[in-house]
Amino acid sequence: MDAEIKSRFTNAGLEVVARYTGVDGPSVEEAFHRVVHIDATPVQRMQKRGPDAAHQVDDAWKACAHQGGVVADDGAFLAAGSMSYGWVHVRLTPATDISALADQGGELLFIARSLSGHRVCAASTEGSEYWILEMDFPAQE
């Protein structure tokens, strides 16, 4: 397990289970290119500025991820470690706050995928807004 990636996720309140080594479902790179692109249409947009903006993006991502089946009943899902590192099996905890994953400039890009690979839900910064994006990845025959 890459120590920097693990630290980033645990600092955001996620329980890191293990590096995901499966080959089913979309890769981080494929998920990124299909979900976070110039023609992407967010399912929710919110202003990045404001005293509760971080709380709003965290709540919005969690709601979308739960409703869309990205997060399993036990809180487990796959999170993008990096394009080259791949997916990390993580679990939500009561302390999870995905807004803590923003870089020092306040830019947020968090991509999560269901364990089955059928659905991706992301939170990103686009200009002065946070966007929640989602995409289905049908099972490949």
Side-chain angles (χ1 to χ4, degrees):
M1 170 63 59
D2 180 280
E4 184 178 329
I5 290 171
K6 182 176 183 177
S7 176
R8 189 175 74 227
F9 287 142
T10 57
N11 288 341
L14 290 162
E15 175 190 342
V16 175
V17 178
R19 183 175 186 183
Y20 180 74
T21 57
V23 294
D24 58 319
S27 67
V28 170
E29 187 173 2
E30 182 181 2
F32 174 82
H33 289 298
R34 290 201 39 214
V35 177
V36 185
H37 61 84
I38 195 161
D39 295 324
T41 302
V43 294
Q44 191 169 350
R45 300 165 84 149
M46 60 214 77
Q47 287 300 309
K48 186 177 156 188
R49 296 190 182 143
D52 63 340
H55 180 71
Q56 286 180 0
V57 72
D58 181 61
D59 284 348
W61 180 85
K62 286 175 184 171
C64 180
H66 278 287
Q67 292 166 4
V70 170
V71 176
D73 291 342
D74 68 351
F77 61 96
L78 301 179
S82 72
M83 294 282 208
S84 60
Y85 190 79
W87 298 110
V88 178
H89 185 168
V90 297
R91 188 172 288 115
L92 293 174
T93 72
T96 300
D97 178 1
I98 65 146
S99 69
L101 295 165
D103 66 19
Q104 290 184 346
E107 298 294 308
L108 174 65
L109 178 58
F110 179 62
I111 303 172
R113 174 195 126 171
S114 62
L115 295 173
S116 68
H118 78 284
R119 187 106 165 141
V120 170
C121 182
S124 73
T125 302
E126 301 296 331
S128 64
E129 297 179 322
Y130 286 122
W131 285 11
I132 304 299
L133 304 127
E134 58 186 5
M135 172 74 63
D136 286 321
F137 288 81
Q140 301 201 355
E141 302 295 321

